[in-house]
Amino acid sequence: MTGPRPAARRRRPFGEVPGLGTLAAGFLVFLYAPIAVLVAYSFNAGSIVMVWTGFSTDWYARAFANADIRQAAFNSLVVAVTATAIATVVATLAALVLARGGRFRGSEAVLGLISLPLMVPEIVTAVAVLVFFSGIGLNLGLGNVVIAHVTFCIPFAFMPIRARLDGMDTTLEQAAQDLYASEWATFRLVTLPLLMPGVLAGAMLSFVISMDDFIITMMVAGAGDTTLPVYIYSMIRHGITPEVNAVSSILLLVSIVLVTLYWFMTRTGPGTARR
Amino acid sequence: MTTAGAGAARPRAGAGGAGPAAVALRDVAKTYGRGAHAVEALRGVSFEIRDNEFFTLLGPSGCGKTTLLRAIAGFEQASAGAILLFGADIVDVPAHRRPVNTVFQHYALFPHMTVAANVAFGLRRLRRPEGEIARQVAAMLALVKMEALADRLPGQLSGGQKQRVALARALAPAPKVLLLDEPLSALDLKLRQAMRQELKQIQATTGITFIFVTHDQEEALSMSDRIAVMSEGRVQQIGPPAEIYEHPANRFVAGFVGDANFIPATVVGEEGGRVRCRTPAGLVLAAGAAPSPPGGRGTVLFVRPEKVGLVPAGQGTVEGRVRGLQYLGDAVLIEIDIGEALPLVASERMARLGQAARRPGDRLGVVLDPAALQLLAG
Amino acid sequence: MALLPARAPLRRTLGLLPAVAIILAFMVVPVAIMAVFSFLVPRSFGGVEWTFSTDAYVQILFERMLDDSLRFSPGYLMIVLRSFGLALLATVSCLLVGFPVAWFMARRPPGERNLWVLLITIPFWTNQLVRTFAWIIILGRNGVIEAPFRWAGILDQGATLGLMYSNLAITVGLTYTFIPLMVLPIYASLEKLDFSLVEAAADLYSSRLATFRRVVIPLARPGIIAGCLLVFIPSLGAFIQPDLLGGGKKLMLGTLVQFQFTTARNWPFGAAIAMVLLALVMVVLILHARAARPHPAPGGGQ
């Protein structure tokens, strides 16, 4: 039975575990199959989600024609844009102070406070804000939603901005001062342009996080202030039609496009990944 | 402020020109941290740098040379003392108002601006007319031979090219003093050697005072009008390269600038401006004494390897035996046992060596000329 | 060195004020109010009576009988335990799948690595609700998995595999949602790992298993710990997955809190559950802060 050793028995390098590639490929299938299924069924002609009856774009047409969906999408956009704008400005200011202001007493505490929304479970934040708003009688309609979104968007906007600042070479700012740029000129001409990719990344994350938020919005939003995820949730609750799939697919597409765009944006352009 | 080229006719440094020094340092001290963790980076540094001089701060890392440069640039606030620029105290002047420019160690070119925009940056901040800016940028890029790459971004340049742009950018506003923080350290050897010549030439052409920081003694010796050797936050010696090399003030300078033999010795007498010293092994040698009186840590005799004369056995001041050889291509280092604790190292040029190749174990005579031997503080 | 644009304390204060004020006012204060509410008495249709009481917490473990005596009642404790158990299960399955995937990614050529990172990041940034909803289509009655069985006649018309509304469905949902948070930090630590260390270990007569245990795992430890934390904490407080895939039968802490504030309208009890959830998260974070302190690999010094 002893023949020449088969080639496969040769010693393989440490990292090359057999089947790892298959596992990784399987993992990608696991990640994307549910999304693919969802999108596929959004083109189902029949009205029962699970039974395939033929290809159709009717559900998209219906979704677009649905005034409630349009209103919810509009609300989502208003909330996301406003919350992103406020959170990004607030986070940029905080990041500049924390990264460039030198060490001071309490800087650790401020950092902890800013990352707090990442640590507290969303459902806890949601009910706490609900109780708080009803307690103080604050009723600004979508304004309430915006306030809640700004709060949890701040750390998401903060992280990439801070990371960018930490990665930036401070001698560039010294070089500007050396070349007669005042503090303000240095900030305007050197710091801010180099920080922009970080600010954009922060804004992008905020936007996506705000667009996707469901739990906090569900608790905080009043009857007329439904956002798209909250509307989708109520559709799922009240009986699933392919219309949900169509709306969901659109929402997925927006996120995917934004994230991919951001990814390519940060990959090119001057001043990236340079130390 | 002079524009580029105009300074060529000015008198060379060291000519004893009148007027205030370009930079005068008075007891400059810098301490980082407080209490038990305090680190003294500068401990009372005082000296003057003349106008139009190529001045080098030389020392090992952590000696305070970069701190001193940054204090002159305005990036560090000195803890004590005064820094005068052409007679005016600039300690309270912020960096962006000081008429000094810096070439940074890693260039610090603005990555989002073209080469031309980088060079124009300082001139724009000084609100110079656009016409003048264009002319000056062109002149500076020509000076560093980078005209062809004016529209490139720094990311598209090689290390040597970035170096040139950094230099042009710092020179463009025609500063009174140019600070160079180890600007050649990131370049490879060949490029570094070429840039030495070029820097020296640019300094001569522009007539701007250069303050150059380096830890490379060869760089310092080859370019400078004068060198300040620093160690542990203090200036150890200031002087022209030859003086620093030939007549080091103390053991640190002798050891840091070039190779050196040190033989512990005690003074036993004096004659004709020379001192007579005795080594632990009982050798009695005549030597010149360093300008400063020997300090408390004992004294050593110092001689450069190339000043150690080798003659056939029986004809030298001291008899020795070859212990080892180190072939260097153009020269050979010979370790010679002369009965002291440490062997003496001599260097011999290969051209002179000829067929008389030495071998370990060979006996030979060693000539220790009193003119080449110096007594230094230990 | 204090550089721009924040040299003066005034500017420092002005720069930090908005962020600090917003998070204090709309995060810290509300949670503090919740903590207070958890010690009050519920009003019939939501809201609280300002009477101090620990009933909300007692209620988690005991049932108050008609004669005012307390009887141990495991119902809510079960929900706490289920939350903990399912979060742990999701974390372990994420780790088991995530580590090999991260290792595979780290051993790819650099350009390909970035593509993998993008592919794993994209689902994470897409809507959680929608992604969980997709699993209803897959696991549900007549769903993608059941359909072939039904078509082959193995499954009768009325019957179902019962995949939905189970602990399994919730675990799959949690794993699916949070696995990118496991893969990415482990990948980050493995990518930084200098592979010559592995070769050095092999050079010093270390077997593959020993190299893995003594070199790779200790160096990937920060990534593994971060990944486990990033999966475990949101899983513990998850709402969407148990709500959609557990269908009101298999409650977790997140769904219980929401239920108390909406349908049951027992604010103090909901607040108490929320506080328990918050406390659990804090305990995990504190344990992590301890574990994150650098300490030598086990058995490394012999």
Side-chain angles (χ1 to χ4, degrees):
Chain A
M1 289 299 282
T2 53
R5 277 190 152 201
R9 290 288 306 272
R10 263 187 329 193
R11 285 178 45 76
R12 50 195 161 67
F14 182 85
E16 313 290 313
V17 181
L20 215 52
T22 319
L23 178 80
F27 177 64
L28 279 192
V29 171
F30 172 65
L31 274 187
Y32 283 92
I35 296 174
V37 165
L38 181 85
V39 174
Y41 275 94
S42 71
F43 292 104
N44 189 359
S47 63
I48 302 167
V49 177
M50 317 280 185
V51 184
W52 183 263
T53 48
F55 180 86
S56 155
T57 53
D58 275 4
W59 296 108
Y60 284 90
R62 282 207 201 190
F64 280 117
N66 185 332
D68 287 345
I69 291 181
R70 283 210 309 265
Q71 182 60 44
F74 179 73
N75 285 348
S76 271
L77 272 178
V78 169
V79 170
V81 168
T82 320
T84 298
I86 299 171
T88 308
V89 171
V90 166
T92 306
L93 285 176
L96 280 168
V97 173
L98 287 174
R100 290 290 189 277
R103 294 180 69 85
F104 61 94
R105 277 178 60 198
S107 62
E108 291 289 319
V110 171
L111 205 60
L113 191 68
I114 287 175
S115 44
L116 199 62
L118 297 177
M119 290 186 258
V120 177
E122 236 188 312
I123 187 72
V124 176
T125 312
V127 292
V129 173
L130 165 75
V131 165
F132 178 69
F133 281 159
S134 74
I136 62 169
L138 189 73
N139 196 357
L140 304 171
L142 269 188
N144 282 18
V145 181
V146 170
I147 290 173
H149 279 222
V150 167
T151 310
F152 67 74
C153 280
I154 287 175
F156 284 97
F158 178 82
M159 286 184 304
I161 298 172
R162 173 68 197 265
R164 177 88 192 169
L165 272 171
D166 285 346
M168 253 164 69
D169 189 357
T170 48
T171 54
L172 288 174
E173 287 157 356
Q174 289 176 11
Q177 291 201 301
D178 185 61
L179 294 163
Y180 315 107
S182 63
E183 253 182 292
W184 171 241
T186 303
F187 178 71
R188 191 168 52 86
L189 297 171
V190 176
T191 315
L192 197 58
L194 292 174
L195 188 58
M196 259 346 255
V199 174
L200 274 180
M204 194 86 104
L205 292 194
S206 294
F207 186 83
V208 171
I209 288 287
S210 168
M211 278 297 279
D212 283 356
D213 179 77
F214 154 64
I215 300 173
I216 292 172
T217 316
M218 172 186 68
M219 298 302 279
V220 173
D225 311 320
T226 306
T227 61
L228 208 47
V230 175
Y231 191 83
I232 290 174
Y233 180 75
S234 68
M235 284 169 94
I236 296 171
R237 285 267 138 208
H238 295 125
I240 303 161
T241 63
E243 203 175 341
V244 190
N245 293 29
V247 181
S248 301
S249 299
I250 294 168
L251 200 56
L252 285 181
L253 193 73
V254 171
S255 299
I256 292 174
V257 166
L258 276 180
V259 172
T260 314
L261 257 183
Y262 160 67
W263 190 75
F264 281 106
M265 226 165 54
T266 51
R267 222 128 279 274
T268 51
T272 47
R274 290 166 41 79
R275 282 286 185 117
Chain B
M1 287 176 206
T2 50
T3 46
R10 296 161 84 194
R12 291 298 304 148
V23 175
L25 304 167
R26 305 265 153 84
D27 285 318
V28 176
K30 173 75 190 177
T31 311
Y32 293 105
R34 263 178 224 152
H37 299 289
V39 177
E40 286 181 88
L42 295 173
R43 309 169 192 232
V45 172
S46 300
F47 61 85
E48 297 196 340
I49 297 166
R50 297 166 197 145
D51 192 11
N52 205 1
E53 188 170 32
F54 196 123
F55 191 91
T56 297
L57 296 170
L58 174 67
S61 61
C63 74
K65 58 189 192 301
T66 296
T67 306
L68 188 57
L69 194 81
R70 293 170 61 81
I72 298 172
F75 303 136
E76 303 271 5
Q77 184 86 35
S79 312
I83 300 172
L84 282 72
L85 193 72
F86 290 95
D89 193 341
I90 55 166
V91 162
D92 293 324
V93 179
H96 70 273
R97 299 230 175 80
R98 296 190 186 190
V100 283
N101 291 138
T102 309
V103 178
F104 290 84
Q105 186 171 8
H106 298 289
Y107 323 127
L109 297 180
F110 304 123
H112 56 305
M113 298 180 194
T114 63
V115 165
N118 263 283
V119 176
F121 190 94
L123 298 164
R124 293 237 159 84
R125 293 298 98 213
L126 290 171
R127 309 252 176 263
R128 297 288 167 74
E130 276 301 319
E132 187 196 324
I133 292 175
R135 270 198 309 283
Q136 182 71 346
V137 168
M140 286 302 120
L141 288 177
L143 186 72
V144 299
K145 308 189 187 84
M146 287 288 294
E147 311 96 306
L149 303 177
D151 297 325
R152 293 270 181 96
L153 287 172
Q156 303 165 300
L157 302 179
S158 71
Q161 290 168 336
K162 283 183 196 165
Q163 176 61 66
R164 286 161 185 278
V165 177
L167 189 61
R169 185 179 71 175
L171 284 170
K176 290 182 173 179
V177 174
L178 186 75
L179 309 174
L180 303 102
D181 184 9
E182 308 227 13
L184 305 183
S185 63
L187 303 179
D188 62 45
L189 183 66
K190 283 275 176 226
L191 208 52
R192 207 153 64 214
Q193 285 169 344
M195 280 303 287
R196 280 184 205 163
Q197 292 310 309
E198 216 168 311
L199 271 181
K200 182 82 187 139
Q201 203 167 4
I202 288 170
Q203 195 265 331
T205 323
T206 56
I208 293 171
T209 307
F210 275 34
I211 305 179
F212 187 92
V213 161
T214 184
H215 63 269
D216 182 331
Q217 42 114 355
E218 217 178 285
E219 234 167 68
L221 292 175
S222 65
M223 292 193 288
S224 321
D225 291 322
R226 284 194 308 152
I227 298 170
V229 183
M230 292 185 67
S231 167
E232 291 172 356
R234 288 198 181 86
V235 173
Q236 303 292 326
Q237 187 176 6
I238 297 184
E243 189 185 308
I244 298 274
Y245 186 81
E246 305 284 345
H247 302 289
N250 55 36
R251 182 173 179 162
F252 174 81
V253 176
F256 190 76
V257 184
D259 298 323
N261 288 296
F262 296 112
I263 309 164
T266 46
V267 180
V268 291
E270 241 179 284
E271 58 178 42
R274 297 228 156 94
V275 284
R276 293 178 64 77
C277 310
R278 188 195 297 276
T279 69
L283 286 175
V284 176
L285 297 163
S292 59
R297 274 188 293 171
T299 49
V300 289
L301 281 170
F302 146 78
V303 62
R304 297 265 180 223
E306 70 271 16
K307 297 273 175 69
V308 175
L310 300 179
V311 292
Q315 297 174 20
T317 335
V318 188
E319 290 305 299
R321 182 205 285 267
V322 176
R323 271 181 43 169
L325 297 157
Q326 215 186 110
Y327 177 71
L328 296 180
D330 58 341
V332 65
L333 289 185
I334 306 159
E335 261 186 31
I336 304 159
D337 189 356
I338 54 166
E340 296 294 334
L342 290 173
L344 199 64
V345 177
S347 100
E348 235 177 352
R349 307 292 303 173
M350 289 307 279
R352 265 176 52 196
L353 210 59
Q355 66 275 35
R358 305 188 188 276
R359 282 166 217 270
D362 285 357
R363 295 190 164 280
L364 42 66
V366 179
V367 179
L368 292 170
D369 185 350
L373 268 179
Q374 275 177 72
L375 186 70
L376 299 177
Chain C
M1 132 203 48
L3 254 182
L4 36 134
R7 187 175 282 153
L10 176 69
R11 261 187 283 180
R12 178 182 292 161
T13 310
L14 287 179
L16 291 178
L17 191 66
V20 169
I22 289 172
I23 292 173
L24 272 181
F26 301 112
M27 181 98 208
V28 177
V29 170
V31 170
I33 291 174
M34 283 265 292
V36 173
F37 275 24
S38 71
F39 289 103
L40 298 177
V41 174
R43 222 167 32 200
S44 318
F45 296 100
V48 286
E49 302 282 358
W50 285 88
T51 314
F52 177 81
S53 160
T54 53
D55 269 7
Y57 290 97
V58 172
Q59 206 182 335
I60 298 173
L61 290 178
F62 300 99
E63 202 174 340
R64 196 174 286 278
M65 307 307 290
L66 286 173
D67 62 355
D68 217 33
S69 68
L70 296 174
R71 201 185 65 181
F72 177 69
S73 150
Y76 294 121
L77 185 63
M78 278 305 295
I79 294 175
V80 177
L81 292 179
R82 178 185 296 122
S83 297
F84 211 83
L86 293 187
L88 204 62
L89 209 56
T91 308
V92 170
S93 51
C94 281
L95 182 61
L96 289 181
V97 177
F99 190 92
V101 171
W103 177 267
F104 174 79
M105 284 165 65
R107 301 292 298 146
R108 296 278 92 195
E112 209 183 310
R113 274 184 236 165
N114 286 330
L115 189 64
W116 275 92
V117 170
L118 173 68
L119 286 174
I120 286 170
T121 316
I122 285 178
F124 178 69
W125 290 118
T126 54
N127 196 298
Q128 246 193 65
L129 178 71
V130 170
R131 285 201 299 146
T132 308
F133 163 56
W135 279 95
I136 297 182
I137 304 177
I138 295 172
L139 297 176
R141 181 183 275 257
N142 296 323
V144 174
I145 292 179
E146 283 192 4
F149 288 95
R150 214 172 288 283
W151 185 77
I154 300 171
L155 214 59
D156 293 335
Q157 258 323 307
T160 169
L161 290 175
L163 295 172
M164 274 293 284
Y165 311 129
S166 65
N167 288 334
L168 175 76
I170 298 175
T171 309
V172 168
L174 291 175
T175 305
Y176 176 70
T177 308
F178 298 120
I179 199 165
L181 291 176
M182 179 67 84
V183 175
L184 293 176
I186 296 181
Y187 162 76
S189 62
L190 286 178
E191 196 218 1
K192 273 187 294 183
L193 188 147
D194 180 359
F195 206 71
S196 62
L197 292 175
V198 169
E199 292 170 350
D203 184 56
L204 296 166
Y205 317 108
S206 168
S207 72
R208 274 157 200 263
L209 192 66
T211 304
F212 187 71
R213 233 160 51 84
R214 300 277 162 117
V215 178
V216 176
I217 295 287
L219 289 172
R221 218 177 99 103
I224 294 172
I225 291 176
C228 288
L229 218 58
L230 287 172
V231 172
F232 185 79
I233 288 180
S235 294
L236 194 63
F239 170 76
I240 295 175
Q241 294 78 9
D243 186 63
L244 290 188
L245 304 174
K249 282 193 234 160
K250 303 284 180 187
L251 285 178
M252 281 174 70
L253 285 169
T255 37
L256 181 60
V257 169
Q258 189 259 358
F259 180 78
Q260 292 306 324
F261 274 90
T262 51
T263 316
R265 291 187 184 275
N266 185 342
W267 285 20
F269 184 56
I273 299 287
M275 285 303 120
V276 169
L277 174 55
L278 196 59
L280 285 174
V281 168
M282 290 305 149
V283 166
V284 173
L285 284 176
I286 289 166
L287 287 179
H288 165 250
R290 291 218 182 139
R293 267 187 234 140
H295 71 86
Q302 295 150 17

